[in-house]
Amino acid sequence: MKFPLSWLCEFVPISDSPERLAELLSMAGLEVEGIETFGDNLKGIITGKIEKIDPHPNADKLVITTIFDGKKRHQIVTGASNVSKGDVVPVCLPGSVIASGMTLKSTSLRGVESHGMLCSEKELGVSEKASGIWILPPETELGLDFISYASLCDTVFDVAILPNRGDCQSVWGLAREISALTGQTLALPKISVTESDVSHSFSVCSKSEHCPLYIGRYLTGISNMASPVWMQRRLALCDLRAQSLIVDVTNYVLLETGHPLHAFDEAKFKSKKISVELSKKGSSLTTLDGHKRPLQDGQLLILNDKTPVALAGVMGAQNTEVSDDTQNIFLEAAFFSPHVTRRSATLVGLRTDSSVRFEKGTNIESTDLASLRASELLQQFGGATVSKNVCVHEDKKSAYFKSRTLPFSLDAINYFLGSSYKSSDVKPLLKRLGFTVAKNQVQIPAWRRADIEAMPCIAEEISRLLGFDSIPATLPRQALIQDSVDPLVLMTQRTEDFLVSNGLVQVNTYPMVSQASLDGCLMAVDSTSMGLANPLSPELAFMRPSLLPSLLQICQHHHARQQRDCAFFEVGTAFSPDQEDQVCAFMLTGNFFESASTASQRDVNALLNQHCQGLFSQWLAFAKLSVRVDRTDLDNWAHPVQSQAVFLGQKKIGTIGLIHPKVSAAFGITEPVAYCEISLRACVERPREMPRYMPFSSFPHTRRDMACLVPHELAYSEIKAIIDKCRHKTVIDVGVFDVFESESIGTDKRSIGIYVLYQGQNKTLSDDKVNKIHQRLCDQLQTALPLQIR
Amino acid sequence: MQESLETIKTNSVKSIQSADSVQDLDQVKSFLLGKKSPLMDVLKKIPTLPVEQRPEIGKLANVVKQELAQLIQQKRDNLIQASQDKALESDRSDVSLPAFKRFNGAYHPLSLVTRDLCELFSRCGFSIKQGPNIESDFYNFEALNIPEHHPARDLHDTFYLNNKQVLRTHTSPVQIREMIQTKPPIKIIAPGKVYRCDADVSHSPVFHQIEGLYVDKGVTFADLKGTLEFFLHALFGKEKKIRFRSSYFPFTEPSVEVDVEYTFKGKTVWLEIMGAGMVQRKVFDHVSYDADLYTGFAFGLGIERVAMILYGIDDIRLFYENDSRFIRQF
């Protein structure tokens, strides 16, 4: 929100530099986001009247003007074509300086002397409008110091108003803050309006608690010409466009007092009955900007008889808009409740200078003051007759009128802040802010009622104005034992450590994905619970059910940049309608080892899926987890042959293996992609068992091998399952030492060489004993499975 | 007997010296010193000798046996040494070739910074808590004193799911969840992802915050200052100036923004680092804490912002592009 310094200075003396003032305000919660200076170069611009225009003897495009400044006449040659005899214009005489910093000198233009310049708005730093001289209202006094008259030289603060500081959305409000900060006295203007006994039959009535106060003034005989230049200038500095006196005055008063006003053209009213009511869904009104606005239930409307003439607090309707020839107006000043105004503005998608003020709360007690201030200005500059018969609807029982008094104890405040403020520090400060401090009580000013509700609010007022440096920095002295570490946090950190030390690069991706990437992964999600109602783009439209689409996108990014050796992982959230799961996923493509320079190294590098599985099983050991993997319940995106599902107990907690080539192809990756995704949450949900020490044997073990000839469709896991089932107590290890296929054993078979280690706990096992146990195992295997042991 | 021992010795020494490998030597050893060796034959015959000759011959035979064993050991050492020398001499390895190793792993910079921040707060006794990304309006807004149609909602550009749930706009809902579950004292930090539908190029729709909450009897604003000054000094350096600037958050009062003075390329500026304040009484009401008995402070900061300052990163989008050439730098 913009605040011109000259305007603030009307109500509070300011001696600080703009930079210092900005710092003071910012530290106190009124952050100055920008300081703009206008016209600081300007010097000596005055107003003058064009008395005479003569043709230039030597140039068709130039004319010779005679300018009268009230005392003297000046001959000035100009090329402007928009001036006529009798116009009052800004004049720059020799020795004066224009906005660009150029000092004007007397000169001769095509043989005719010229002692000055007629100025355009651009030359005075007011706008970019360079075509044509700035024509001022004809009644403008001549010889005026135009720089000060038109507020040409000003500094504008752009202040971010916090949501609780509705009271600072006005020049008066900010001036009050400055007064509290600098100790200077605030002087709000005395308003003087001459009221006349103009009778009328207007009546107002609010039928909603959301409008507890409605004041209507009847003003007649206004000459609705252009507003004074200085007023236009101030509106412009605050980003408002000058329109006509009536509209400009309502805007000016809005900026000055923080009270939005609305002027209805009385001639356009159908009746004299004004009421405030809540809308019904299905109705509509056309606002001043020409848009037809359909309405919902419960929006506050101003009605003339039955016709909506304004969306209360947001924008007036076109049907009663003030025009250039408007003479009589019905001037509305009211209080509309913040949340109803905000809702209404949101529903029609409008944020106006009016709605932003109502939604942060206006000061109900000074509503009439704003109406009077506007009347005063309209009387002063438009000759308005102000009727003393004011229409008022006032619901004094409304909570908005209720004054607020809070208990006041400086001890409580000091205890809460850890400060040691004295009464002499605090009381003058609160007084300047409008608080009335009695012995144990403080009365809250009307403009802060919505914000100041309890002791901490007063503590905030004191500390922000005295500066937080006035409070010491201490460390808490309370005894407290830190809570135990969340097992999921610990598991996450350990998993990150494990994967990073094993050569993987951690990524951090958006949890939202596109429909296309879900389709590419052959995944479907419930769009009600997982779909965004207001996505920024289709790329980020659904909460991901798995990290797979995210990691595939990362691999795609790298493959497209000649980086085909990918080893990425992420610990992130996978979403489903009933829960959020913290999962760890890693993805490998290309080479797993760096610098494979020999044939054997390259062979090792090519074993992508084995590396993935190896990492996974090492991680299991690291995390002290024992899981079951099998090929049931595979996801659509998993490779139909080279992947497995991971189970903890009966619960599926992940997948390990290659992803389906169809899926990687959807992401433009043509080579195999190995992937593992495990739910860390599931891993930490099961109770942690305390390990028990088991004595280990000091006697040598004996190894027996068996070469099993197995049909292709028989998986090793099935053989292993039987071995585990029949496991003799002396078996300490079982593993595979060789797998081969050849035509000699038949193309439908392969040979798996399995070793078994036997070891006695208390003695060395005899060969005979081992042979007997091993033979039994071989027999059991051959009975249970279609395999041959050679 | 004596001559026989001398002959055995002479022959044995010859065969030991002619052995040219350890295996060869082992065979020689078993031939010379084994049960059926000539020396053993002599030793076996000693009981048949006249009593007076026995000590002398016996002694001599043992001396020969010891000498031969020593010779064999010496020969073994020499042979091993020679074979090692030969192996080393023929070793053609080039250890200067690049190692056959896994690629270097790397933590995402946001993980590194999050860990550092958690560690610092952990030193002050805060424990880490997590909460869901998808929240109800109650946890994200209502309980934090941001009712519907409150202007403070302007500060949060919120993503909604089709079922009206929200993607949390800050990590503050974790505060509420913890307070509902636990009675005071409570001292927690909550790092995590947050979501704002902000289309600006310098903003990311997903970013990370870390939230802190401390509630107990007699917690003061001065304690908040002390804790945050410790934290910021530990993070950015003891010499850095810190200032507390008044602000507004619906869930704290007083509310402050905390700035750190920082020098970039010779230019000193105040960097806005975190928001903080004393917990609003209305928040305590929502979680049934006695606001007359307990006070507390809360704070929050953006992790990306800290990472960008610490590492000199100038574009927030780099964090989510996840190019390994970026991630490996930290």
Side-chain angles (χ1 to χ4, degrees), chain B residues 110-163:
Chain B
L110 291 176
S111 295
L112 290 174
V113 172
T114 306
R115 281 196 189 195
D116 287 351
L117 300 180
C118 288
E119 199 264 340
L120 284 175
F121 284 117
S122 185
R123 285 170 60 192
C124 306
F126 289 84
S127 12
I128 303 172
K129 299 289 166 185
Q130 296 184 323
N133 292 248
I134 298 176
E135 278 290 7
S136 65
D137 192 86
F138 173 79
Y139 285 109
N140 197 73
F141 293 121
E142 285 287 333
L144 287 157
N145 192 29
I146 318 174
E148 211 189 341
H149 303 303
H150 189 284
R153 289 216 178 184
D154 288 347
L155 308 172
H156 299 249
D157 297 310
T158 312
F159 280 117
Y160 290 90
L161 292 167
N162 289 322
N163 62 4

Side-chain angles (χ1 to χ4, degrees), chain A residues 23 26-29 31 162-164 338-339 342-343 346 351 359-360 415-418 451 453-454 456-457 459-460 463-464 468-480 482-484 486 488-489 492-494 496-497 500-512 527-536 540 543 554 557-558 561 563 565 568-570 573 575 580 582 591-597 601 604-605 615 618 681, chain B residues 97-108 110-111 115 121-123 125-135 148-155 158-164 167 178 185-187 193 195-199 204-206 208 214 216-227 229-230 242-248 252-256 259 272 278-282 295 297 317 319-325 327-328:
Chain A
E23 198 194 332
S26 293
M27 292 304 288
E31 188 178 356
L162 294 167
N164 63 328
H339 72 274
R342 183 176 159 86
R343 177 174 170 271
T346 310
R351 300 211 66 203
E359 69 181 39
K360 286 183 185 170
Y415 179 72
F416 174 69
L417 292 175
D451 174 34
E453 295 171 304
C457 312
E460 175 169 67
S463 51
R464 76 181 178 88
F468 291 97
D469 284 346
S470 61
I471 301 173
T474 56
L475 285 174
R477 291 162 305 267
Q478 291 86 339
L480 187 105
Q482 192 176 0
D483 210 353
S484 62
D486 180 347
L488 188 55
V489 170
T492 300
Q493 290 195 351
R494 286 172 57 83
E496 286 172 354
D497 293 341
V500 169
S501 60
N502 278 286
L504 279 78
V505 172
Q506 186 178 30
V507 297
N508 192 325
T509 59
Y510 291 160
M512 301 93 105
S527 122
T528 312
S529 54
M530 298 288 100
L532 266 67
N534 56 338
L536 271 183
L540 305 173
M543 303 315 288
I554 301 297
H557 168 97
H558 286 82
R561 286 163 182 76
Q563 297 182 64
D565 299 334
F568 293 112
F569 80 97
E570 176 165 18
T573 311
F575 297 81
E580 288 182 24
Q582 190 152 324
N591 290 319
F592 189 57
F593 288 90
E594 225 176 325
S595 313
S597 46
Q601 287 176 349
V604 170
N605 237 348
L615 262 180
Q618 257 184 298
R681 187 174 289 282
Chain B
L97 281 172
F100 181 52
K101 69 176 217 8
R102 282 175 291 209
F103 288 93
N104 293 337
Y107 294 91
H108 194 278
L110 291 176
S111 295
R115 281 196 189 195
F121 284 117
S122 185
R123 285 170 60 192
F126 289 84
S127 12
I128 303 172
K129 299 289 166 185
Q130 296 184 323
N133 292 248
I134 298 176
E135 278 290 7
E148 211 189 341
H149 303 303
H150 189 284
R153 289 216 178 184
D154 288 347
L155 308 172
T158 312
F159 280 117
Y160 290 90
L161 292 167
N162 289 322
N163 62 4
K164 307 270 186 274
L167 292 181
E178 283 300 315
I186 186 170
K187 202 169 190 180
K193 282 193 164 65
Y195 304 78
R196 302 273 173 100
C197 60
D198 213 331
S204 165
V206 182
H208 296 74
Y214 175 38
D216 203 344
K217 290 175 190 162
V219 175
T220 67
F221 189 90
D223 293 338
L224 168 64
K225 271 190 77 178
T227 303
E229 281 185 6
F230 156 77
I242 293 163
R243 72 175 187 192
F244 292 77
R245 189 159 44 78
S246 178
S247 189
Y248 170 78
T252 51
E253 182 133 40
S255 301
V256 287
D259 302 341
E272 200 175 303
M278 300 299 287
V279 180
Q280 245 279 356
R281 293 169 66 93
K282 286 182 187 167
T295 52
F297 64 72
R317 289 168 298 186
F319 292 115
Y320 306 102
E321 193 187 41
N322 286 298
D323 196 297
S324 60
R325 291 164 296 188
I327 299 169
R328 285 184 206 273

Side-chain angles (χ1 to χ4, degrees), chain B residues 34-35 79 95 98 105 124 163 178 199 210 239 258 260 263 277 284 328:
Chain B
K35 285 176 185 167
L79 283 170
V95 293
C124 306
N163 62 4
E178 283 300 315
I210 195 162
E239 72 290 353
V258 190
V260 174
T263 305
F284 283 158
R328 285 184 206 273

Side-chain angles (χ1 to χ4, degrees), chain A residues 209-452:
Chain A
E209 56 185 326
H210 299 298
C211 174
L213 177 65
Y214 194 101
I215 299 167
R217 271 203 167 69
Y218 184 47
L219 282 76
T220 56
I222 307 165
S223 71
N224 193 20
M225 46 183 37
S227 56
V229 174
W230 56 265
M231 185 182 288
Q232 293 189 16
R233 180 66 195 138
R234 281 197 174 157
L235 293 176
L237 290 177
C238 298
D239 298 333
L240 282 174
R241 191 170 52 88
Q243 296 175 54
S244 65
L245 180 68
I246 297 173
V247 176
D248 290 357
V249 163
T250 57
N251 281 334
Y252 189 81
V253 173
L254 162 93
L255 295 173
E256 187 174 77
T257 67
H259 283 282
L261 303 173
H262 187 66
F264 296 98
D265 185 342
E266 187 235 1
K268 292 175 185 162
F269 272 154
K270 287 183 195 151
S271 91
K272 305 288 177 192
K273 269 174 70 182
I274 305 293
S275 66
V276 188
E277 292 177 38
L278 290 175
S279 63
K280 290 266 181 288
K281 189 174 176 170
S283 53
S284 68
L285 89 166
T286 303
T287 41
L288 290 173
D289 54 6
H291 290 280
K292 188 176 173 185
R293 311 276 178 181
L295 300 172
Q296 303 296 318
D297 279 332
Q299 290 180 262
L300 212 50
L301 287 177
I302 312 301
L303 299 179
N304 174 233
D305 208 3
K306 296 258 163 29
T307 314
V309 289
L311 187 56
V314 182
M315 196 179 268
Q318 216 172 32
N319 53 15
T320 47
E321 185 179 6
V322 167
S323 58
D324 289 348
D325 46 9
T326 297
Q327 292 183 355
N328 304 343
I329 60 163
F330 183 77
L331 181 67
E332 163 195 295
F335 180 90
F336 302 119
S337 86
H339 72 274
V340 165
T341 312
R342 183 176 159 86
R343 177 174 170 271
S344 185
T346 310
L347 284 173
V348 296
L350 271 175
R351 300 211 66 203
T352 60
D353 286 300
S354 167
S355 76
V356 298
R357 284 174 173 81
F358 279 121
E359 69 181 39
K360 286 183 185 170
T362 56
N363 174 9
I364 197 165
E365 307 282 8
S366 63
T367 310
D368 193 41
L369 206 59
S371 172
L372 283 169
R373 174 74 172 138
S375 303
E376 178 189 39
L377 291 169
L378 285 170
Q379 196 158 62
Q380 192 179 346
F381 298 105
T385 304
V386 180
S387 169
K388 69 162 73 154
N389 302 312
V390 183
C391 301
V392 179
H393 170 94
E394 191 174 19
D395 175 9
K396 269 288 182 192
K397 276 176 280 173
S398 164
Y400 294 111
F401 276 111
K402 204 169 169 233
S403 70
R404 173 175 278 145
T405 305
L406 293 174
F408 180 78
S409 153
L410 195 55
D411 287 346
I413 288 170
N414 278 331
Y415 179 72
F416 174 69
L417 292 175
S419 54
S420 44
Y421 294 129
K422 292 190 206 70
S423 187
S424 55
D425 302 331
V426 168
K427 285 193 176 164
L429 202 71
L430 288 173
K431 197 177 162 206
R432 286 200 296 274
L433 280 176
F435 292 74
T436 316
V437 185
K439 198 159 179 267
N440 297 319
Q441 285 194 323
V442 57
Q443 176 149 15
I444 312 304
W447 55 90
R448 301 298 300 276
R449 270 180 212 154
D451 174 34
I452 308 286

Side-chain angles (χ1 to χ4, degrees), chain B residues 22 77-90:
Chain B
V22 175
D77 292 347
N78 292 342
L79 283 170
I80 290 173
Q81 184 68 53
S83 98
Q84 277 176 356
D85 289 347
K86 199 175 156 202
L88 289 176
E89 227 167 84
S90 61

Side-chain angles (χ1 to χ4, degrees), chain A residues 141-211:
Chain A
E141 210 180 306
L142 302 185
L144 274 178
D145 172 0
F146 191 64
I147 298 169
S148 125
Y149 174 75
S151 279
L152 294 183
C153 175
D154 214 335
T155 299
V156 179
F157 296 96
D158 189 0
V159 182
I161 305 292
L162 294 167
N164 63 328
R165 294 312 302 274
D167 65 299
C168 285
Q169 299 188 102
S170 66
V171 177
W172 288 2
L174 197 71
R176 183 186 299 114
E177 283 288 307
I178 293 169
S179 142
L181 280 167
T182 60
Q184 299 284 357
T185 310
L186 179 72
L188 295 184
K190 297 233 178 334
I191 294 165
S192 90
V193 183
T194 311
E195 287 174 303
S196 314
D197 197 0
V198 180
S199 64
H200 61 79
S201 54
F202 278 108
S203 72
V204 298
C205 169
S206 166
K207 294 177 181 166
S208 168
E209 56 185 326
H210 299 298
C211 174

